Amino acid sequence: MVSHSTIEQSIQKIEFAFNHEEQLFKVLEIYLQNFPVLDAYLLRYSPLGFLAEGLIYLNLEGGVHIGEIRDDVRNFPIIYSAIKDKEAKYCSGIEYLKLMNSKYTITSTISNTFVVIPIFDGPVVFGYICSSEFKEGTNMDEKMLSYFTFFGKLVGKVMNRSENGVNANLLSRREMEVMKRIALGESTKEMADSMGISAVTVNQYVKTAIKKLGVKNRSHAIGELYRRGVIF
């Protein structure tokens, strides 16, 4: 049976990963080893547009990248609820049909069951893990869900600590201003008009900020800045 101490000891291994991608795979490996699940999907979350982006899928046979998954979590009530409450959530049967979107990639070949675990540090959720296949006889009660939540919280703390945060001075004043305006939902044209610069210049600030942060796109950049406490 999983316990808090077992989870804590296992998660310490994440800090010894050689790079960020290995770290992500280790998170899922530890998750599969410690919980009665047979599959694991890891997704990045950005509060900008409530966007979820797929990272890695892993089961007992191997793993693949799932970058093709991009969804607004508000279309999936159970995921949105888990992120908002920062608590693991589970559904099955009729509730699954009510709380999941039919277009979602994650489906179960055995039964309609689903668990989602937010990954967070403090008030900021920056990812989540979900599963749709479980070991036979699994009892998904409140105690098990509390262990899932504990796992997501510890993973969030370790991943933040291992990256040592982002120095706010990494971005120039203008780059930071653009990032904050993006976080508030302003379009490129709105930023250009209010800042008195061209749309081309705005896009250049965005491009250089993304490069400095080592991320892939705008939503990922905003998610990183929120996650590391640079913007609130």
Side-chain angles (χ1 to χ4, degrees), residues 149-229:
T149 300
F150 183 68
F151 177 81
K153 181 178 180 179
L154 285 188
V155 168
K157 286 183 178 295
V158 170
M159 292 184 72
N160 260 355
R161 187 166 66 240
S162 67
E163 293 187 17
N164 296 317
V166 167
N167 189 328
N169 294 326
L170 177 66
L171 302 184
S172 71
R173 180 180 64 81
R174 280 300 215 182
E175 289 165 351
M176 182 60 70
E177 182 179 356
V178 167
M179 289 295 103
K180 288 180 178 179
R181 289 178 179 275
I182 291 174
L184 293 173
E186 289 189 16
S187 68
T188 298
K189 184 179 185 305
E190 288 172 332
M191 287 187 280
D193 291 343
S194 60
M195 294 172 69
I197 57 179
S198 69
V200 172
T201 302
V202 169
N203 287 329
Q204 186 59 44
Y205 284 135
V206 173
K207 183 178 179 180
T208 55
I210 287 173
K211 183 176 180 180
K212 288 180 179 180
L213 292 168
V215 295
K216 295 181 178 180
N217 50 46
R218 292 187 180 201
S219 61
H220 189 187
I222 297 304
E224 285 294 290
L225 291 171
Y226 268 112
R227 178 171 73 84
R228 303 179 189 188

Side-chain angles (χ1 to χ4, degrees), residues 29-157:
E29 287 173 353
I30 292 168
Y31 171 72
L32 288 170
Q33 290 166 4
N34 283 276
F35 293 98
V37 295
L38 299 175
D39 64 352
Y41 293 77
L42 176 61
L43 296 97
R44 177 191 300 121
Y45 171 71
S46 169
L48 179 64
F50 301 91
L51 181 66
E53 298 179 293
L55 292 174
I56 298 168
Y57 166 77
L58 193 67
N59 62 17
L60 300 180
E61 298 178 355
V64 295
H65 291 281
I66 52 172
E68 71 278 3
I69 296 179
R70 286 174 62 89
D71 276 304
D72 184 331
V73 299
R74 291 172 294 185
N75 294 325
F76 308 92
I78 186 171
I79 297 175
Y80 183 52
S81 175
I83 289 173
K84 186 178 58 156
D85 298 339
K86 291 185 276 298
E87 292 180 356
K89 305 284 184 176
Y90 171 78
C91 64
S92 63
I94 298 299
E95 285 302 306
Y96 175 92
L97 299 177
K98 292 179 180 178
L99 298 175
M100 288 298 293
N101 188 305
S102 60
K103 74 173 277 289
Y104 207 54
T105 309
I106 301 169
T107 58
S108 173
T109 57
I110 299 175
S111 61
N112 293 328
T113 55
F114 186 82
V115 67
V116 55
I117 302 97
I119 298 174
F120 62 98
D121 187 18
V124 181
V125 177
F126 50 88
Y128 60 90
I129 297 171
C130 45
S131 295
S132 59
E133 301 286 354
F134 304 88
K135 294 180 180 177
E136 188 175 351
T138 296
N139 180 22
M140 197 63 67
D141 56 15
E142 289 301 319
K143 187 173 183 179
M144 179 60 71
L145 289 177
S146 73
Y147 286 134
F148 278 122
T149 300
F150 183 68
F151 177 81
K153 181 178 180 179
L154 285 188
V155 168
K157 286 183 178 295

Side-chain angles (χ1 to χ4, degrees), residues 17-28:
F18 290 109
N19 53 50
H20 185 61
E21 183 163 347
E22 184 184 349
Q23 187 181 59
L24 297 179
F25 271 101
K26 277 190 175 295
V27 167
L28 294 189

